[in-house]
Amino acid sequence: MSDKESHKSVPQKLADWVDAVAAATKPDRTMWCDGSDEEFRSLVNWMLADGTLIKLNERTYPNCYLHRSDPNDVARSEEATFMCTTNKEDVGPTNNWITSGEAHAKLNDLLDGCMIGRTMYVIPYLLGPLNSPYAQVGVELTDSPYVVVNMEIMTKVGPPALEHMKAGGFVRGVHSIGKLDSRNKYICHFPDEKLIVSLNSNYGGNALLSKKCHSLRLASVMARDGGWLAEHMLIIGIEGPHGTVTYVTGAFPSSSGKTNLAMLKPPEYMKGWNVWAVSDDIAWIHLDSEATFRAINPESGFFAVAPNTSMKTNPRIMEMVKKNTIFTNVAMSLDKTPWWEGIGEHPRKLWDWQGRVWTAGRSPGSAAHPNSRFTTSIHQYPSLSPEYNNPKGVPITAMIFGGRRSELVPLVYESFSWEHGVLMGAMLRVETTAAASGEVGVLRNDPMAMKPFCGYHIADYFNHWLSFRSRSAKLPKIFQINPFRLGRDGRFLWPGYSHNLVILKWIIERCQGNAEAIETPVGYVPTPTSLCTEGLGVPETTVSELLRVDKKAWMDELESTWLFFESLGDKLPKTLEQELSKLMDRLQSTAP
Ligand code: OXD
Ligand code: MN
């Protein structure tokens, strides 16, 4: 880390902008981050000294820390998130909108002097593999040292970014904790200026500007203009017993098992199989010179949900977070070991996520916040894909949509075509989770799991997806999965976690032309025998129930899709309307 004086070698455009922001926000000093271990350690030491971080048990969790956030600042704030453009029509009905002019006026007021008494950190960051034509640079200015250390795990900070910047421009981000005043919380995106301004929150999804703000909201607009895709998707390589690795992407709404699927450890009964993680949250997908879909992970770390992770559900994650990890809003045992619901054994007494004494069976609520998180470098993950750093990305064979649906959606099914697959994604309606503030478990339209992240009109976004039909002869196959279906007793019908590899295996085999399916009105559903459920111990009747297509329930679902599509106005692509009509006709012409 160095101060301004020693930082004369950066591009003038960057230096001028940093000076202009400092003149407005008036920090006591400006520090340039270089991403070094030494810098990370000194920031951690400052935060240990002022109580921003608590050191966890060095024996059980070496070099791990706990951060307890403000209790009102624990999740993404969609109500405070805005796209700022000239016309409302640019951003459509799924985004909050203010004119750029109005937003600047409001933000300039709030930025005035907001860093007085604080240090402003300059974080140049690189997203994506080194030397990749798809990599991008951003610079975040922040007064939060917690943000700096998280950014140093999540991105490549310092020299790699400054080096890459020589080849082009950069996304600008300004973040201030402000006074954590929720009435003045703003996460504003200016796609025309490649600018993000985030005020009065220190929560990862609002404050680590490289993540949702740059890699999805701004990148989605750049992707539309540049003919590529910026998606809320995991990327994994699935290795079969013959050593062939097939890459797939998967879009699931926040807190719906993306990280668990990306880090799946094969069950005992699937010898010879493995899952290699490339990304657990975001995929940038470009067509290469042969029109193959190629995906990179812009991020270098995980900022993921802790609850329900255990040695039983996901031993690879447990192994990964045991060192060099920042935990946010988890509970802590009396010997300073992190704890969360679903981890296993329950100590009788804990410190809860707000630092209060929590007694099993007596204290109300959960000990860890349901959206408590861990931040860990991707390089600690034991099954990281050797292709993770490939500048060209990995070739994508299949794309999966999914999310929490207690009813309706079969365990897995395949679309009839690219267009039908785009409809599947556009129809995604899932239950809300604790990753965003607001009520949990409410069904809402979350097309392609991008409702909170698509930075432009969602109907134009559908059109953009459809446009790949004429641009590639190597379109990935599209599937939808739903491991969350409930039985009459309210329990999950499918064991999930590692057993989801059974579903992935069927998907891979479909792509290879080796797995059987039944044609139903909604798509190709596996024959129960093609799903290979022997090792699982799930009764045949349960498998049939998981794969059942309920005509009446689908007709109801289509009604809500029509309503959603109607709300998008004239921009809705005709092709999608036709696909929806075809789906309705297929359903109507089948027996109940
Ligand atoms: C996340 C989210 O943190 O989607 O990944 O909210
Ligand atoms: Mn996410």
Side-chain angles (χ1 to χ4, degrees), residues 212 232 254 258 281 453:
K212 304 301 182 182
H232 192 204
S254 311
K258 248 192 343 286
D281 194 39
F453 308 122

Side-chain angles (χ1 to χ4, degrees), residues 11-73:
Q12 196 56 44
K13 196 168 132 202
L14 171 58
D16 289 348
W17 173 62
V18 171
D19 285 347
V21 175
T25 57
K26 306 180 183 63
D28 284 8
R29 56 183 192 150
T30 298
M31 298 299 287
W32 289 73
C33 300
D34 58 16
S36 62
D37 292 348
E38 193 194 346
E39 172 176 282
F40 189 93
R41 270 196 306 273
S42 67
L43 285 166
V44 163
N45 286 337
W46 290 340
M47 285 189 280
L48 288 173
D50 76 3
T52 305
L53 293 182
I54 296 168
K55 177 137 182 62
L56 291 169
N57 189 314
E58 183 61 21
R59 194 177 43 80
T60 51
Y61 279 78
N63 199 27
C64 290
Y65 304 93
L66 167 63
H67 172 69
R68 292 190 183 126
S69 77
D70 182 285
N72 297 314
D73 189 36

